[in-house]
Amino acid sequence: MIFNIEQIRADFPILHQQIYKKPLVYFDNAASTQKPRQVIDAIRQYYEHDNCNIHRGVHYLSVKATEAYEEARKEIRQFINARNTHEIIFTKGATESLNLVASSFGKRYIADGDEVITTIMEHHSNFVPWQQMCLERKARLRIVGIDDQGELNLQELKNMVNEKTRLITLTHVSNVLGTINPVKEIIEYAHLHNIPVLLDGAQGVSHIPVDMQELDCDFYCFSGHKMYAPMGTGVLYGKEKYLEELPPYQLGGEMIKDVYLDHTTFNELPFKFEAGTPNVEGVMGLRAAVAYLTALGMSNIAACEDDLLKYATEKLSGIEGMKFFGTSPQKASVISFLIGDIHPYDAGMIIDKMGIAVRTGHHCAQPLIEFLGIPGTVRASFSFYNTFEEIDRLAEAILKVKQMFA
Ligand code: PMP
């Protein structure tokens, strides 16, 4: 173990409780991570000392809150190594970031007959906005498939690229299969053809180090609540050249420069995309989460979670009748499985009664689940605060499920 696990777990108050008279095991981290005391304290500190609407006031509290909010933007730029601070747009989550790009990019760049490439492994948040935008604009959404290990068919993707392709949009890491996609190779190939690439980083940014300048992606989206920060926070990173060109997504206060009776001029980046009063409290928490992750080190986190993934894969593979979905060697700490023919909901309910939180169902990826021809999966997703002993308890719970259905 890279970290002092007791010390880390002491930072997460919610983990120290009994569920059904058993110590809670939280393996639903891909849905949302728990929050360290440092994040909770940052929110309390904000409301007890600094709360005020930002960007609009000349008085002390307003200036203080504005400065803290803009400091947070700088720290997030640094965390993902974006080139410019104004390329960081605060949103309420990955879903809003993805809708923003689909809507604004669609209006600006997509016309009748154009094509957008995505993949079968997308979360609905990076699928439905593009599907609907393509329907509205009479464009074609092309969908890249996967192989038996849950890896993208790269050649198929490359073959799809043509002079009508306007964008490639795909997940960095699959929330169901755990696959870490070869995004660098895809981006390089796309750029050879002058095609921009959007990455849905909702499952990427909390598990592996990400570097916008190294990846050279054109857009990157993520949610705060999956990276130990509050719900209702998120980020859209976009390259300046695209953000400058895109029309605003929402209209109202803060995103304007001047409003006349018959027309309006828009604010500069990033404010053009931040209409209305933002979630300042949440961004204070996001800032604290980024500081927490930075102190641990994203490479250490990736290595620690990889150890947990390897241990769990070996442990659960030893149980007869287990079927795994997503077996790529390039995987984040997510295991999707079925126990023989037992329905995932039945399995999930029994596992829950043993004090273990796993997720069951289609994980907001119906096209993928349909493609796999299964009713859904049970998904265990690990964070650096999880332990090998907790994985042992999951293995015991799976044996119990098997016993009950024998
Ligand atoms: N993309 C992926 C890959 C996800 O896992 C999720 C959340 N499960 C989302 C997008 C949407 O995130 P949010 O609900 O926080 O907007």
Side-chain angles (χ1 to χ4, degrees):
M1 264 291 170
I2 296 157
F3 300 127
N4 178 339
I5 190 70
E6 289 313 317
Q7 212 176 326
I8 285 199
R9 288 179 70 85
D11 287 336
F12 292 83
I14 203 171
L15 297 178
H16 306 280
Q17 61 179 302
Q18 303 260 318
I19 305 284
Y20 311 118
K21 299 197 177 127
K22 297 180 182 74
L24 166 70
V25 173
Y26 187 76
F27 283 160
D28 197 16
N29 295 291
S32 198
T33 54
Q34 300 301 350
K35 319 305 169 201
R37 204 178 291 285
Q38 289 81 344
V39 168
I40 300 166
D41 287 350
I43 298 167
R44 173 182 289 274
Q45 163 76 21
Y46 171 72
Y47 276 126
E48 287 184 351
H49 300 279
D50 306 328
N51 175 52
C52 188
N53 210 331
I54 57 167
H55 292 146
R56 296 166 201 194
V58 290
H59 65 81
Y60 181 84
L61 277 187
S62 182
V63 172
K64 196 173 173 198
T66 303
E67 281 174 2
Y69 191 79
E70 292 308 323
E71 266 319 300
R73 202 189 304 273
K74 287 184 198 158
E75 286 161 16
I76 286 155
R77 182 209 66 75
Q78 196 172 10
F79 183 61
I80 62 170
N81 196 29
R83 185 166 280 115
N84 300 303
T85 305
H86 59 259
E87 293 173 319
I88 305 296
I89 314 288
F90 286 122
T91 65
K92 68 184 170 73
T95 302
E96 189 177 50
S97 304
L98 291 160
N99 274 275
L100 188 165
V101 185
S103 167
S104 295
F105 190 94
K107 279 186 195 146
R108 175 68 180 78
Y109 292 109
I110 312 275
D112 199 338
D114 286 344
E115 297 184 358
V116 172
I117 298 177
T118 189
T119 85
I120 193 73
M121 65 165 81
E122 298 310 310
H123 186 281
H124 295 159
S125 293
N126 194 33
F127 192 84
V128 184
W130 298 107
Q131 178 195 61
Q132 295 301 307
M133 185 278 291
C134 286
L135 286 171
E136 275 165 29
R137 308 190 73 80
K138 300 192 173 59
R140 180 174 174 206
L141 186 62
R142 305 197 62 181
I143 298 156
V144 180
I146 53 169
D147 66 14
D148 291 348
Q149 289 188 298
E151 291 189 353
L152 279 182
N153 294 331
L154 259 192
Q155 197 50 51
E156 188 187 349
L157 185 149
K158 289 181 179 175
N159 293 344
M160 277 181 190
V161 169
N162 63 37
E163 71 289 350
K164 294 185 215 148
T165 313
R166 294 289 164 264
L167 179 81
I168 300 176
T169 178
L170 80 158
T171 193
H172 190 178
V173 176
S174 161
N175 66 318
V176 181
L177 306 163
T179 314
I180 303 173
N181 285 317
V183 290
K184 189 127 176 66
E185 187 180 340
I186 293 170
I187 291 162
E188 275 168 14
Y189 186 80
H191 286 176
L192 280 179
H193 298 81
N194 291 320
I195 298 165
V197 177
L198 178 154
L199 296 181
D200 171 0
Q203 299 293 344
V205 77
S206 59
H207 294 295
I208 46 181
V210 295
D211 182 323
M212 293 304 108
Q213 294 184 67
E214 212 244 326
L215 279 175
D216 200 28
C217 58
D218 302 278
F219 299 99
Y220 197 93
C221 304
F222 54 94
S223 294
H225 71 96
K226 291 182 200 282
M227 51 180 292
Y228 310 92
M231 293 194 174
T233 60
V235 169
L236 163 66
Y237 158 79
K239 276 189 189 159
E240 181 187 73
K241 65 173 177 178
Y242 287 110
L243 293 180
E244 287 289 4
E245 287 276 311
L246 297 189
Y249 175 54
Q250 290 183 332
L251 309 170
E254 203 58 25
M255 54 74 63
I256 55 93
K257 185 155 172 270
D258 285 302
V259 178
Y260 306 91
L261 285 185
D262 59 350
H263 76 285
T264 294
T265 53
F266 302 129
N267 207 341
E268 61 196 18
L269 292 176
F271 312 112
K272 181 173 91 171
F273 292 107
E274 293 183 2
T277 300
N279 180 0
V280 184
E281 134 210 353
V283 167
M284 293 305 104
L286 179 58
R287 183 184 186 192
V290 163
Y292 189 86
L293 294 174
T294 304
L296 291 182
M298 285 311 300
S299 303
N300 296 332
I301 289 174
C304 168
E305 292 178 350
D306 203 43
D307 286 347
L308 290 166
L309 175 71
K310 286 203 177 97
Y311 183 81
T313 305
E314 205 172 302
K315 187 94 194 177
L316 303 193
S317 301
I319 302 174
E320 216 189 301
M322 292 288 284
K323 301 177 201 164
F324 296 96
F325 302 90
T327 53
S328 166
Q330 301 301 322
K331 254 187 89 162
S333 52
V334 173
I335 295 194
S336 261
F337 61 86
L338 286 174
I339 311 165
D341 294 327
I342 300 167
H343 196 282
Y345 286 125
D346 294 335
M349 273 162 66
I350 298 166
I351 295 171
D352 170 57
K353 292 292 179 297
M354 312 231 357
I356 304 170
V358 287
R359 186 141 297 244
T360 54
H362 57 55
H363 315 296
C364 297
Q366 276 185 351
L368 173 64
I369 296 297
E370 180 79 10
F371 172 83
L372 295 170
I374 52 176
T377 74
V378 182
R379 182 183 72 186
S381 49
F382 312 116
S383 155
F384 55 78
Y385 50 54
N386 290 128
T387 66
F388 296 126
E389 294 73 31
E390 289 181 319
I391 292 169
D392 292 342
R393 276 190 51 203
L394 175 63
E396 280 164 32
I398 292 171
L399 289 173
K400 177 95 178 168
V401 172
K402 282 186 68 176
Q403 248 175 29
M404 290 179 73
F405 280 85

